[in-house]
Amino acid sequence: MEAIGRNQATAAQIQRLEDAAHNPLTGKEWPQDHHQLLQERRQLLAYRHYQEILDAYHKSQVMILSGDTGIGKSTQIPQLLVYDEYGSELRIACTQPRRLAATELATRVADEMGVVLGEEVGYQIRGDYMIDKHKPKKTRLTYMTEGILLRQLCVDRNLTAYSCIVIDEAHERTVDLDLLLALLKKVISRRKDLKLVIMSATLDAALFQKYFDNCPLVHIAGRSFNVKTIYLREPGPDFAVLAAAHVVDIHQHGEPGHILVFLPGENEIERVCKLVRGETDGLDVFPLYSSLPAANQRRALRSSGPNRKCIVSTNIAETSLTIKDVVYVVDSGLSRQMIFNPRLRMSVLGIRPISQASAIQRMGRAGRTRDGVCYRLYTKEGYDQMAPSTEPAIRCSSVESVILRLVAAGYRKVMDFDWLDAPHPESIARAVQDLRDWEFLDDDAKLTQSGHYAAYCPLDPIWYRAIKTAAKFGCSLDMLDIAALCTTQTSIFLRPSGYQQAADLLRTQFAHPLSDHLTHLNAFNAYMRAREALQERFSDPRSILEEWCMEKFLNMRALEEVCIAREMAARFLKGKIAPSRASVMDMTSVRNALAVALCTHTAIHYSGDVYRTVHENTDALLSPASSLVGRNHEWIVYTTLHKTGGKQQLQIATAINAEWLVDLPFFQGAIMPKTGKGLLRQPQVKKSLDDAKARMEARNERQ
DNA sequence: TTGTGGTGT
């Protein structure tokens, strides 16, 4: 390649390289479509700002790049940096919040640069990579998820393999991103030759600029196409009815072009679909949400008949999936959001207004291929009252694993760490307390050996502890499966609208009378058996497996995720924890291990369907899906405490014996919640444990 | 009488 020193390239030089007879990266001739791709790329706004971006990049260690979606930031900027960084002989990483984006961008950019995917341009996501690992210099640019870079940061705290890190979609503010930025800020102070480019939507750019000592900001103004925004004149009564009416009106009177409707969830979506179908002809209506079987999702995205298409979707179409040729957007202004309440250690799921940033993102979905229209089912005043940006995820989730990773990275002052937005102090305090209860931190908040392992284990910390505990009970492999099932957030059980009762009925074939954890395990084992049997008989059993899952109302995507999580965790645990399995005939040991490991998540039966949690001292019902409903076991452990639709629920529970709790440190007198007068707030807990103790003593005497 | 969306050498 033409000799350009590191960080000395000009836009003209790069253009010359791209116009040359041979590909400067490979020395080979360009692929046939090179010139056409180049022409398309040179139309993109991001490409047209090459020189301005290079100037800012050369001048400063950190820079922020802002601009609307669809201008080619994610594809063009990393390519530009490949040429500019060529002299450094180190790699460039470009992070993405989602796996799909990482793989698709890598594929596209490898094409545009005229190289083979996995050679000069590659990707890395969990359980899958296309990079040249053996020749360190070969892969110049790697698209990866934020989590992958965080992992690499744990191993190599100065990221010595890289000369430049590009953070894309920074405005999405995932938990991993906030942790990554905080750690990168430390890295760049140690490594002055490491460059950082943060790409974000316009609205949040100033925030990042301030965080990085007022570094330069380049804004690429303009968007690919205009979208006209139409507000409601006065607030409407029922957003579902309103949404349906807008769709019908657009279909009857509007110019050609597909319609995309944003609603909070599956229920609302199915309702609107029904309303619209009843009143239109020649309109293909598709629901779209994550628990929809993959085939139905594909149909919604790919179908292209002569009819107009209307897709009624959750937030999944806001960022994760792109629908071609959308001209109309109907935005309800609402979404379901999960917010963590640190005091109750409880997640609350509810329908809330979206942010302005999110409204803009939804609107932009109408202007990807030509000018569009966005109908907002709220007033201009309603829009003005929305929060400018979506609350960063680190502010509304539990932070046990974040704090653990932070301590593992060598930062112990977790309370006054330099965050972009700090987690709630109460969240941090809770996390530190939990990590101590789980023995990952000692009394000086120092990392223990087992805390060190938990930080590197690709499972939630509490599940690493559960596997460790299970090893003592001779069932570490059963617990590994349960851990993978619980760490994978999406449920393996489907309950499609219209088939709820059938789904509930079929679920009972896996039901374990004493445990939802074991119910999940039964279903997972059944899937693994079917998978193995089919793999022996067919070379590509995927579609048959998909059918098998469909019949049993199991979510195959979730089950495959569980498989990957399990394999990765198993690889990590090899040599650290002895593998063992409980007898199929008696899973008592698994329940006992769950009781010990999840002892901070115990609840005692109160009255009727009501349980009261020991730690938070709050009343909650078993989830209606639990196989323990109506059985009134005295003690249970649960995986999560949720609030949905105003009701507090305990999800994924297992019945346990009081005898298993009496000797645990967590249940010794001092830790029990007390009232101001020093009286036990839950005398029933004490009584139950005392009774259990008496029973144990009596048994010992008899022997 | 139940549920938005992501992610992990």
Side-chain angles (χ1 to χ4, degrees), chain A residues 534-550:
Chain A
L534 288 170
Q535 265 164 358
E536 270 171 32
R537 287 170 51 205
F538 303 94
S539 59
D540 184 19
R542 214 182 152 82
S543 62
I544 307 168
L545 255 180
E546 228 163 273
E547 220 164 283
W548 185 91
C549 287
M550 209 89 117

Side-chain angles (χ1 to χ4, degrees), chain A residues 510-526:
Chain A
F510 302 115
H512 189 288
L514 293 169
S515 167
D516 298 323
H517 293 101
L518 293 174
T519 300
H520 279 75
L521 187 58
N522 286 341
F524 178 67
N525 284 335

Side-chain angles (χ1 to χ4, degrees), chain A residues 282-300:
Chain A
L283 180 70
D284 296 336
V285 184
F286 298 98
L288 186 63
Y289 42 84
S290 74
S291 65
L292 207 62
N296 297 35
Q297 284 193 2
R298 274 197 298 275
R299 214 180 308 143

